[in-house]
Each structure stands twice: as structure tokens, then as C-alpha cells.
Amino acid sequence: MATIEECRTALGKFSDNMQGAEGDVRAAAALDRSVSCHITDLDVTFAGRLTGGRIAVDETLPGPPREKAQIRLAMAGDDLVALVGGELNFATAWGSGRVRLEANLLDLFRLRKLL
């Protein structure tokens, strides 16, 4: 099972990857939205903001998200690490229910380029 620190590192790597992206992916990463990522097996939530092509994690909170972020992810820690490491395909994980992504419809269309 991934640790909280491994999950935080994975989110940092994902943020770094987004900032270095080009074209459509860079445009998708340019959103300015609140973000939460609930790590279900650790029952911890990383809350922050997607802005300037980066995810800035402001808080690590116990339990599920306290406030409804504009972009909400939920998954097991191992799945987050595998997604960022390229070992797990997002579409497959989302389709099987291993990863949950909630956002408004327009944001979902933009985010599909990132994921």
C-alpha cells in the first residue's frame, strides 16, 4: 500500500508533467480550479488548486473532502502511483471504477486531454 508521502510525491510528479506539457495538454492544464484527491485506502484527502498548469496542494486532511472541490478525484494510493508512473491507464481505471473523477462537463472534456 502506498504511503501518504508516496501519494504526495506522485501528485507532485503529475503537476511537474502538466507544467512541461505542450499543445492541447498545456491548454487543458491552464484551468484555474479547486482540486481534491481522496486516497480511499489511506482515508486522506489532498486539497489544493490547479492553476498556472500546476497542482498546488495546500492541505492534507484526514477523511473524505470537507468541501466540494471543482475537480474531485478518488482512488487508492497504489492506483495514483501507478497512474502517474504510466503503469495504469486512466481510461481503464476510470471505466472499471478504480478511479473516480467528478467535475462539470466542460472541465471533463478539457481534463480528458490530461489523463
Side-chain angles (χ1 to χ4, degrees):
M1 177 170 26
T3 66
I4 291 174
E5 199 52 46
E6 288 171 324
C7 292
R8 181 183 296 280
T9 299
L11 285 172
K13 182 177 178 186
F14 180 59
S15 181
D16 291 345
N17 292 346
M18 284 190 319
Q19 189 163 34
E22 296 180 4
D24 289 344
V25 175
R26 185 169 186 87
L31 293 171
D32 183 8
R33 302 285 188 272
S34 58
V35 178
S36 68
C37 182
H38 182 225
I39 307 301
T40 55
D41 56 335
L42 299 174
D43 198 25
V44 66
T45 298
F46 296 98
R49 189 142 200 98
L50 170 61
T51 185
R54 293 194 59 82
I55 297 173
V57 175
D58 299 325
E59 298 179 285
T60 304
L61 307 165
R66 295 184 181 140
E67 296 179 16
K68 187 175 178 181
Q70 293 167 302
I71 299 171
R72 299 167 302 283
L73 288 159
M75 68 194 80
D78 287 341
D79 289 339
L80 173 62
V81 172
L83 279 170
V84 173
E87 300 160 12
L88 179 63
N89 177 277
F90 178 82
T92 302
W94 179 72
S96 68
R98 288 173 65 179
V99 172
R100 290 190 321 262
L101 170 64
E102 298 176 30
N104 72 43
L105 190 58
L106 184 58
D107 287 347
L108 286 173
F109 281 123
R110 289 180 182 156
L111 291 170
R112 69 185 166 92
K113 295 173 184 165
L114 288 175
L115 306 168

